[in-house]
Amino acid sequence: MTSLAVLPGDGIGPEVMAEVLKVHTVVGDVFGIDLAVDVLPYDADWYLTRGAAGFDAQEVRRRYRAVLLGALGDPRVPDNRHAKLIIGGLRQDLDLCVNLRPVRLRTLRHCPLRHVGAESEVDLVIVRENTEDVYVGVGGTVRSGQPEQVAMEVGVHTRRAVDRAVRAAFEIARARPRRRLTLVDKSNAMPAAGPLWQQCFRAAAAEYPEVHTDHLYVDAAAMELIRNPARFDTVVTSNLFGDILSDEAAQLAGGLGVAPSASYDPADTGFRGVFESVHGSAPDLAGTGRANPLASIMSYSLMLDRMELPAAHAAVERAIDEVLRGDLLTPDLGGTARTGEVGDEVCRAIARGKEERR
Ligand code: ATP
């Protein structure tokens, strides 16, 4: 039977994943989708008792069609090594070269910018290269602790990875109504990586004449996101810039509590990817019932889309829209609701949607 691997993880991860599983049950009932769930124990406790042994990303790919991940991060684990092992393992070993981060304002009152006058002004997708840049671990420190200490962090960019990210972004841009794609880089200060990104972008652009393209340096993009977010439709960028810009962009739509992500290999038609919120384990909120489960539910919705289940995906999206228009919201969105109440409300909205469409 086809099944999903669920890794609740640490901190608020298990709390928000509990709400995702409620939604999954309702979606299964309403749409007759039979996707069994295996909850896997890979978290900080597992790492602290077992060490690195036992996690095999290839085995996960063989056994499951997708991974739903809560969050990984625990102050007891030095450098969050378990998170690097598990998330890094999935991304690198399974070659999940694309990280998709959609940002869509669903209710105007959740946008902190006074000059944004309509929801439609914040509707963008950031396509972040997911396997390279400074995250490959090339570099090091010499003369540690001495006045002459040197620290090197090397950004690695290969033509293969850049090309795949850029082409995935063109495919995504082509399917969106505005068909607009912006390359964001820092080619004025990065004379090696900059031209590589520009060459790959230009080569792909020639094959997608229907997509309108432009280019911004990352500093200008950070500014424009605040000044005029409506200018953005699809954005493609490298791993580090994507990390930073997507957190900034998430704030335009209500913050980390409503920021989903999908990591996948567009060429893999079997394993559909890893779906997780942009936020981490938020240890300050763990156990308080104040965590917003919507980012994880939105990530689940991205999974439905990647699994080509359009009716279920649309129903979850409509339910999230409805909940965000209401008042039953967690404190990060100005409400007083608890994590479980928001999850229940999403489930009710999906069931109501089914009744209304009868
Ligand atoms: P990690 O090290 O795992 O990334 P972190 O606490 O450094 O954890 P995040 O988990 O991304 O980083 O969260 C940053 C802050 O944003 C949290 O401390 C929390 O206050 C807020 N936050 C994050 N996720 C949520 C959420 N789902 N609901 C409400 N607030 C959240």
Side-chain angles (χ1 to χ4, degrees), residues 181-187 198 201 213-217 231:
L181 178 62
T182 304
L183 169 65
V184 171
D185 67 15
K186 188 66 185 166
S187 46
Q198 303 247 348
F201 191 74
T213 58
D214 66 352
H215 166 256
L216 282 176
Y217 295 129
R231 84 169 298 296

Side-chain angles (χ1 to χ4, degrees), residues 12 16 72-73 80 256-257 278-285 290-293 295 330 332:
I12 61 171
V16 293
L72 288 167
N80 274 323
L256 289 179
V278 168
H279 65 72
S281 60
D284 56 322
L285 292 182
R290 291 162 62 91
N292 190 342
T330 42
D332 56 306

Side-chain angles (χ1 to χ4, degrees), residues 289 327-331 334-338 341:
D327 292 324
L328 212 141
L329 301 167
T330 42
T336 54
R338 299 180 67 76
E341 292 177 297

